C-alpha cells in the first residue's frame, strides 16, 4: 500500500514543453529558411531533424521530472515504513530492549554487522559502497527512546501500546499521544541512509537508550565505537540549519516528608489546570508557555484558607507540564474557580496537611526558579529552569526541577546556589540527571553539510540537550553536527512532522554523505 502520494509542483513544467517548442524552435527554423533560400530543401530536412532532437529532449525532460518525483515519493515512503515499524514497539525510556532487538535484526537482515550492548545501545556497521572505500568512517546517530505523553482520559499504556498516527494535510501526527518522531524519524533516516542510499563511505549506525531521561546509553557507550572522523546526530529538528552547540542539563529532585492531621474543613475540592500547550523545557522555554504546576500553585497560595491533601502534575522533568491537579479541603462557602482553574467537589478525606505544612509546601513551589533566567547577547537563551513534575500524596512529596545552560560554569553555579537555598529551607535535594554542555564549532563537517544545503545552512547554538556532549568527551577529535527534519510540538500530544521536512532531510543526508565520500576520492 502506498503510504504517501506526492503532487509535485515541478512536474507542471512539462505542460509548457509544447509551448516552448513552438515559441523557441519554429520561428528560428523559419528564419533560417528565409535567409538561406537557395538551400531550402536541405535546411527543411535539417529543421525536421532538429525537431525530432528537440522533441526527444522534451520527452527526456518530462520523464526526468516524473521519474524524479516517483523516486522521491518512494524514498519518503521507505522512511515512513521504517518509522511505522518503530511505532509498533513501545519504547519509553528504560524500556528500549524490544526496539533495540528489532533494529539488530533489521541490520542483520540487510547484511550488516549488528550488536547490542548492556545498555540497549545498538551498533550497526555498514560497509562502504563500491568505489568509496577511502571515505572516512562516518557515524549516523539517533536515540531509541521517546517521551510518552497522552491526552487526559486516554487508555494509552506506554509500556504496552503502540503509537497510532495518521497522515493529514501533509503532516504525520499522532492520535491522543506523543508521536515519537523525536527520535524515531532520526532512526528511520539513518536506516534509509544505510540500506537505500547508493553513494557513501563506511557508516556506523549508533542508536542509544535513555536519551530523554539521563543519557544513560550515550554515557555508557564504549568509546571504541566513536573512533571515527565524523558523527552526524539526527536529532536536531532544525531543517536546513545545523546545530554545533547544545545546553547541558542538571535535574534535581526535591523531596521530604510532611505532617498530616485530621481534616479540619468541611468541604473537599479537586482543583485542576489542564489543556495547556506544554512543550520541550529547552527548545520551548522562551515561548512564554505557562507551567501548569506553577499556575496552580499561584492560585492555591492566594486562597484565604485551605489545606492540601494531594497534588500531581507533569510527566517528565524535561517537559513543560500541561496539567496539574490538587485536592484540597476548605471551609464552607469558599469561592473557587476561574477561566483557567477547573473545580469539582469530591468526598472529604480523613486527613490533610496542616495549615502550616500547606503554606510551607506552597512556599517551596513558589521558591523554585522556573523559565528563562538569562540570555546571551544575541538573544538566545543562556540559562533556564523548569519545574517538571510534582507528586504529593500521603505523607511525602517529590518535585523534579531541571536546570539548563550552554556553559558548564553557569550550570555549576546554578546548581550550587539552588542546593544551598533548598538545604536552608529544610528539604532534601538529590541529583537525578547530569548532562554536559556541548560547545562545538563550525568545522569541516559543517562546511560539507552547508555545501549540501546549497550554502544556506546556519550554525546554531540551541538550549536543548543533546547526546553530542557525551560523545565529544569520549573522542575530542570527533567532528560533530546535529541535523534533522523540523518537528513541531515535541514531547506533547500535538507533536507532528511535515512530509516536506522529511523529504528535505532525505536530500540533505544523501548530498552530505556524497560530499564526504567524494572528498576522499
Amino acid at each position: 500500500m502506498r503510504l504517501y502520494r506526492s503532487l509535485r509542483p515541478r512536474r507542471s513544467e512539462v505542460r509548457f514543453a509544447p509551448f516552448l517548442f513552438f515559441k523557441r524552435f519554429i520561428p528560428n527554423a523559419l528564419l533560417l529558411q528565409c535567409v538561406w533560400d537557395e538551400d531550402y530543401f536541405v535546411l527543411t530536412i535539417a529543421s525536421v531533424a532538429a525537431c525530432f532532437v528537440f522533441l526527444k529532449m522534451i520527452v527526456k525532460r518530462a520523464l526526468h521530472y516524473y521519474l524524479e518525483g516517483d523516486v522521491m515519493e518512494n524514498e519518503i515512503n521507505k522512511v515512513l515504513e521504517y518509522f511505522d515499524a518503530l511505532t509498533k514497539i513501545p519504547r519509553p525510556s528504560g524500556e528500549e530492549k524490544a526496539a533495540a532487538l528489532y533494529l539488530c535484526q533489521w541490520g542483520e537482515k540487510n547484511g550488516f554487522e549488528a550488536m547490542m550492548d548492556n545498555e540497549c545501545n545498538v551498533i550497526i556497521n555498514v560497509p562502504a559502497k563500491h568505489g568509496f572505500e577511502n571515505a572516512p568512517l562516518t557515524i549516523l546517530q539517533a536515540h531509541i527512546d521517546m517521551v510518552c505523553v497522552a491526552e487526559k482520559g486516554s487508555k494509552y499504556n506506554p509500556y504496552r501500546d503502540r503509537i497510532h498516527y495518521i497522515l493529514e494535510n501533509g503532516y504525520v501526527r499522532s492520535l491522543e499521544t506523543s508521536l515519537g518522531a523525536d527520535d524515531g524519524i532520526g532512526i528511520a533516516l539513518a536506516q534509509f541512509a544505510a540500506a537505500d542510499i547508493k553513494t557513501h563511505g563506511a557508516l556506523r549506525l549508533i542508536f542509544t537508550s535513555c536519551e530523554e531521561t539521563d543519557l544513560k546509553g550515550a554515557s555508557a557507550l564504549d568509546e571504541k565505537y566513536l573512533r571515527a572522523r565524523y558523527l552526524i546526530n539526527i536529532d536536531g529538528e532544525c531543517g536546513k540549519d545545523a546545530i554545533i552547540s547544545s545546553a547541558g542539563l542538571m535535574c534535581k529532585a526535591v523531596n521530604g516528608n510532611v505532617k498530616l492531621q485530621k481534616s479540619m474543613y468541611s468541604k473537599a475540592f479537586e482543583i485542576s489546570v489542564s489543556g495547556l500547550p506544554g512543550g520541550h523545557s529547552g527548545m520551548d522555554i522562551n515561548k512564554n508557555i505557562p507551567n501548569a504546576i506553577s499556575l496552580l500553585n499561584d492560585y492555591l497560595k492566594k486562597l484565604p484558607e485551605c489545606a492540601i491533601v494531594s497534588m500531581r502534575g507533569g510527566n517528565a522533568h524535561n517537559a513543560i507540564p500541561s496539567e496539574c491537579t490538587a485536592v484540597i479541603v476548605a471551609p464552607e462557602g469558599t469561592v473557587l474557580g476561574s477561566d483557567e482553574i477547573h473545580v469539582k467537589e469530591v468526598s472529604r478525606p480523613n486527613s490533610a496537611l496542616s495549615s502550616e505544612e500547606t503554606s510551607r509546601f506552597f512556599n517551596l513551589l513558589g521558591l523554585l526558579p522556573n523559565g528563562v533566567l538569562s540570555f546571551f547577547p544575541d538573544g538566545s537563551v543562556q540559562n533556564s529552569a523548569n519545574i517538571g513534575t510534582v507528586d504529593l500524596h500521603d505523607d511525602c512529596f517529590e518535585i523534579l526541577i531541571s536546570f539548563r545552560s550552554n556553559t558548564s560554569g553557569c550550570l555549576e553555579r546554578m546548581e550550587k546556589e539552588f542546593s544551598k537555598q533548598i538545604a536552608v529551607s529544610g528539604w532534601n535535594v538529590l541529583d537525578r540527571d547530569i548532562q554536559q554542555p556541548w560547545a562545538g564549532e563550525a568545522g569541516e563537517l559543517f562546511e560539507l553539510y552547508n555545501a549540501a544545503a546549497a550554502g544556506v545552512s546556519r550554525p546554531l547554538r540551541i538550549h536543548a540537550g543533546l547526546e553530542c556532549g557525551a560523545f565529544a568527551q569520549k573522542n575530542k577529535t570527533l567532528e560533530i553536527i546535529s541535523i534533522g527534519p523540523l518537528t513541531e510540538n515535541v514531547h506533547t500530544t500535538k507533536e507532528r512532522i511535515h512530509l516536506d521536512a522529511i523529504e528535505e532531510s532525505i536530500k540533505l543526508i544523501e548530498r552530505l554523505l556524497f560530499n564526504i565520500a567524494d572528498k576522499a576520492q
Side-chain angles (χ1 to χ4, degrees), residues 27 39 57 90 153 166 170 200 236 244 262 297 308 330 383 405 426 428 432 495:
D39 294 326
M57 181 185 72
I166 60 173
H200 61 71
I244 61 167
K262 185 176 180 180
N297 185 65
I308 191 166
N383 301 316
S405 178
N428 304 318
R432 282 298 175 86
E495 184 181 357

Side-chain angles (χ1 to χ4, degrees), residues 36-46:
W36 299 99
D37 189 58
E38 65 274 15
D39 294 326
Y40 182 82
F41 179 73
V42 175
L43 285 174
T44 300
I45 294 176

Side-chain angles (χ1 to χ4, degrees), residues 259-300:
K259 297 177 182 177
L260 299 175
Q261 65 178 27
K262 185 176 180 180
S263 179
M264 59 184 294
Y265 298 115
S266 59
K267 294 291 183 179
F269 304 92
E270 181 184 273
I271 304 180
S272 62
V273 176
S274 62
L276 299 183
H280 190 285
S281 65
M283 300 294 284
D284 299 325
I285 198 68
N286 62 336
K287 296 180 180 178
N288 296 318
I289 297 172
N291 184 305
I293 296 172
S294 295
L295 191 64
L296 184 58
N297 185 65
D298 290 342
Y299 174 81
L300 294 175

Side-chain angles (χ1 to χ4, degrees), residues 215 246-249 408 411-412 434-438 466 468-470 473:
L215 297 189
S246 63
L249 177 144
S408 56
L411 198 62
E412 291 172 4
I434 299 176
Q435 301 172 16
Q436 294 302 317
W438 165 44
L466 292 171
C468 303
Q473 282 195 332

